[in-house]
Structure formats: structure tokens, C-alpha cells
Amino acid sequence: MKILVIGGSGMIGGDAAIHLASLGHAVTIGSRKPPLATTPMAAMPFLAGDYIAGGYSREALAGFDAMVFAAGQDTRHVGKDDDAAAYWERTNAELVPQLFERARDAGVGCAINIGSFYPQAAPHLLEGNAYIRSRKASDERVRALARPGFRVLSLNPPYMLGAVPGLDPRGFEKVAAYAEGKFPDIPIYAPPGGVNFMSIRSLAEATAGAIERGESGKAYLVGDENLSFRDYFQLYFRAFGKDVEVPLLDKPHPLIGSFAGHGGEIYFDPDPAEAALLGYRRNDIATAVGEIVALYRGRG
């Protein structure tokens, strides 16, 4: 199957591309810039495009059997002079469905939207959060495009973590450095609260399963382990071989952020039948943290 992975130069899209290619699919990376030469994605065909600037025309999308979209905008992408609510409404709620509409009109048979768990797992946050509302609108408007011959669905994952060879491990590198002792000005502690975590490997498997067996028009809430932030930090210390009991302190932590607010919890259990249908592994978080630490150490 010919599959375009938009956002395939990044962590989530890149790991999905690697997994899909390992299954024998002909994968093309779609992003604004080519993947880093140090990553496995660099060996795959590349299609330059920026969906925010109107990229990926119907002509460019024609010929692909499936499209995976893993380039949704979040807090990292908002410029300092941007109106955040207006930015998310435009980039997530308006432009993403327009991209999927072009894919439909181009004859793409299957399209997967990688969204966010917040609208399904924490709907109580919708009223006060423009970002979460934009993700909900994006999800609903994309799935509304489903029709015979165009199977479209969403995978809505929680906090993601993992390591792609040759790719910067982003904020995970800071947590690894913290566990190693590189931030002496930050005491060892964890804030209250927690979330559901999922590895990029599990999400890549779910993406492949969605392409093969996913129900058109459906939003799948996917995830793996419910962990307190204390348990999450503890995994990094153990990956370094440190027998440290991280204390719980009722104050914010500079390396942890959540829309649930200080002390908030967003826990859920994925539907077992849906997890089996999509075919993704569970209990993968400790392994993913170990891989992050190994990549961090390998970078010197």
C-alpha cells in the first residue's frame, strides 16, 4: 500500500512511518523539511508540504492509498505574538479538515487522523480550553467526511513518549538529565497528579491496525498505562540504575505540565476490544523510558 505520513519527520509520525515500512508498505514522508539524515525516515521518499500554507494539493495526494496525519498543532507551535485560540481554531479546526477533504477528492482510500485524548478522556476541560476545543472540532469535522470509498477515522492518544534513532528526544531529554543529576537546582520530587501514557511504538502499531481494520467514522481513544507523575519520574531514575524513592510534594514541577492543572489526574482504560482490533501492545512504558535514556546517553 502507498502511504503518505504527514508529520513523518517528527517523533510520532516518524515512528509510524518506520513501522509501516517494516510491514512492507511503500511509505512517503510528508513534512516542511526533509527528515534528518541521521534518522531511518531519511531513506524514504519525501514530499515537501505545509498544510497550514495550503500544501498537499489534490494533485499531490493523488496516487496514495492511505494518508496518516500526525502534524496537529499544540502549545509548542504558537508564536509569542499569536492569538492562541485563533491560531488553534484555524490550524486544527479549519485547515486539518480541509486537508482531509482534499485527500478524499484525490481518491485516497483511507485517512488516519492522529488527534488528542483530551476531548474523549477529559471532556470537562473543553469549556475553559481553546486548544482542546480545537482538537475536538478537528476530530469531528474530519470524521464527518467519511463516505463510501473514503474510510477516515481518528486515533486519540494520551501523553506520548519514546525515542526515534537519530531524532532529538525533545523534552524527554530534560527528564533524563534530571534523573542523571544534571539539574542540581531542581530538587528531587514529583508533583501530585498523573495521566495515561503511551509509547510511540504502541501508537505506530495502532496506526497500522487502523489502516487495516479501523471502522470508518470512528474516534478511538487509545492509551496504555495510568501513571502518577511520581511513578513516571521513578522510571527514569531506575533506568539509570538509581534506587531513589522520589518524594511527592504538593507544588508544581518545572518539567511537568498538564491541562488537568496542578494535582489533576486524567486516567482511563482503553476499550479492550478496540485495543485488540487495532493490535497495539500494552505495558510498554518502562521499555520506552529505557530507550529514551539509552538515546540520551548515546548523545553524550
Side-chain angles (χ1 to χ4, degrees), residues 106-127:
V108 176
C110 176
I112 309 298
N113 175 46
I114 306 296
S116 167
F117 79 134
Y118 283 111
Q120 286 180 281
H124 62 282
L125 297 177
L126 281 165
E127 183 176 349

Side-chain angles (χ1 to χ4, degrees), residues 1-293:
M1 187 179 292
K2 293 182 64 176
I3 303 175
L4 173 66
V5 180
I6 297 177
S9 63
M11 181 185 77
I12 291 175
D15 205 59
I18 294 167
H19 181 63
L20 290 168
S22 75
L23 297 177
H25 297 292
V27 179
T28 295
I29 301 297
S31 63
R32 288 177 295 177
K33 297 179 180 179
L36 293 176
T38 52
T39 65
M41 299 87 77
M44 302 177 192
F46 172 66
L47 176 63
D50 180 358
Y51 84 95
I52 295 176
Y56 305 108
S57 65
R58 280 182 292 178
E59 292 74 20
L61 295 172
F64 288 104
D65 302 304
M67 178 184 81
V68 175
F69 178 78
Q73 302 293 289
D74 58 33
T75 54
R76 296 167 298 156
H77 304 106
V78 181
K80 63 178 181 179
D81 297 324
D82 289 331
D83 178 318
Y87 178 85
W88 287 323
E89 173 66 22
R90 174 174 169 269
T91 58
N92 287 336
E94 296 176 6
L95 296 180
V96 174
Q98 289 177 19
L99 168 65
F100 276 70
E101 188 171 9
R102 292 196 298 276
R104 183 192 65 185
D105 294 344
V108 176
C110 176
I112 309 298
N113 175 46
I114 306 296
S116 167
F117 79 134
Y118 283 111
Q120 286 180 281
H124 62 282
L125 297 177
L126 281 165
E127 183 176 349
N129 193 297
Y131 166 71
I132 297 175
R133 291 197 301 273
S134 77
R135 283 292 208 172
K136 183 175 189 291
S138 176
D139 174 22
E140 293 176 342
R141 293 172 187 175
V142 161
R143 289 185 291 114
L145 297 170
R147 70 179 188 189
F150 185 59
R151 188 164 51 92
V152 56
L153 57 136
S154 290
L155 297 177
N156 293 325
Y159 273 39
M160 300 302 303
L161 69 160
V164 174
L167 198 64
D168 187 339
R170 303 192 316 183
F172 307 132
E173 190 170 49
K174 291 184 178 180
V175 182
Y178 175 60
E180 191 182 25
K182 295 292 182 66
F183 288 107
D185 294 336
I186 304 177
I188 296 176
Y189 75 96
V195 294
N196 191 278
F197 288 86
M198 186 180 196
S199 72
I200 57 174
R201 174 171 39 244
S202 292
L203 182 57
E205 292 169 346
T207 302
I211 292 172
E212 295 173 5
R213 300 177 295 276
E215 178 183 337
S216 187
K218 187 173 180 63
Y220 291 96
L221 178 62
V222 296
D224 190 1
E225 298 183 53
N226 295 314
L227 294 177
S228 69
F229 294 126
R230 179 182 182 274
D231 291 339
Y232 173 62
F233 277 159
Q234 200 82 56
L235 290 174
Y236 283 86
F237 283 93
R238 289 173 181 164
F240 278 102
K242 296 184 176 182
D243 187 18
V244 175
E245 288 297 321
V246 177
L248 182 67
L249 296 181
D250 191 12
K251 66 177 183 178
H253 195 287
L255 298 181
I256 288 290
S258 171
F259 282 128
H262 177 65
E265 296 177 348
I266 306 180
Y267 294 151
F268 67 91
D269 292 314
D271 184 295
E274 292 182 355
L277 172 74
L278 297 173
Y280 63 89
R281 72 186 68 191
R282 301 287 305 276
N283 301 309
D284 197 43
I285 303 307
T287 299
V289 168
E291 291 168 352
I292 290 168
V293 169

